Amino acid sequence: MIGSQHKSVRSQNKFVRSQHKSVRSQHKSVRSQHKSVRSQHKSVRSQHKSVRSQHKSVRSQYKSVAIAFIIYRPDGQKFLTSVELEKVAQQECQRAEQLAAYLRSIGVDPDNLP
């Protein structure tokens, strides 16, 4: 009887050890997966931080662009912006070229006017 009980206990020990070995293997796998997930989480957090920083930068750029100052002269007319001044200068240059072309067509040299 004692021999059969001993055999049964040894068999149970063998079974428990194999289950323990399986559980340890699963635990090792879960730890590895956990480590991978933590690494991915860290990467996502870093990317999120970068996107937030870019968003703040864009917001501040938008704010600085969205605010426009209009300055008026004492007579009530507004001062022109640099873009508007450039457009006026181009128009004046075109008018000067047209006038020079007309003067040449009637025989007057626009570069040698009295």
Side-chain angles (χ1 to χ4, degrees), residues 6-114:
H6 182 30
K7 209 176 193 182
S8 174
V9 168
R10 281 180 56 183
S11 175
Q12 287 174 352
N13 274 347
K14 195 174 187 180
F15 176 73
V16 167
R17 274 190 245 150
S18 74
Q19 284 185 329
H20 183 259
K21 194 174 187 179
S22 173
V23 168
R24 283 181 63 186
S25 174
Q26 290 173 352
H27 181 258
K28 196 173 187 179
S29 173
V30 167
R31 283 182 64 186
S32 174
Q33 290 172 353
H34 182 257
K35 195 173 187 179
S36 173
V37 168
R38 284 184 62 189
S39 174
Q40 290 172 355
H41 180 256
K42 193 174 185 178
S43 173
V44 168
R45 283 185 62 178
S46 174
Q47 290 171 355
H48 181 257
K49 197 173 187 178
S50 172
V51 168
R52 282 184 60 189
S53 173
Q54 292 171 357
H55 181 266
K56 283 181 181 179
S57 173
V58 168
R59 269 189 24 203
S60 70
Q61 289 174 3
Y62 173 76
K63 283 181 182 177
S64 66
V65 169
I67 299 172
F69 294 101
I70 300 173
I71 303 172
Y72 293 93
R73 296 189 301 202
D75 64 359
Q77 294 213 346
K78 94 174 184 169
F79 281 102
L80 298 178
T81 65
S82 59
V83 173
E84 292 168 329
L85 285 171
E86 181 67 30
K87 189 175 179 181
V88 169
Q90 287 176 352
Q91 290 171 346
E92 293 299 324
C93 188
Q94 286 176 348
R95 285 184 61 208
E97 288 174 8
Q98 289 172 352
L99 179 59
Y102 171 73
L103 289 173
R104 285 188 198 97
S105 72
I106 60 170
V108 177
D109 183 11
D111 294 324
N112 292 321
L113 291 176

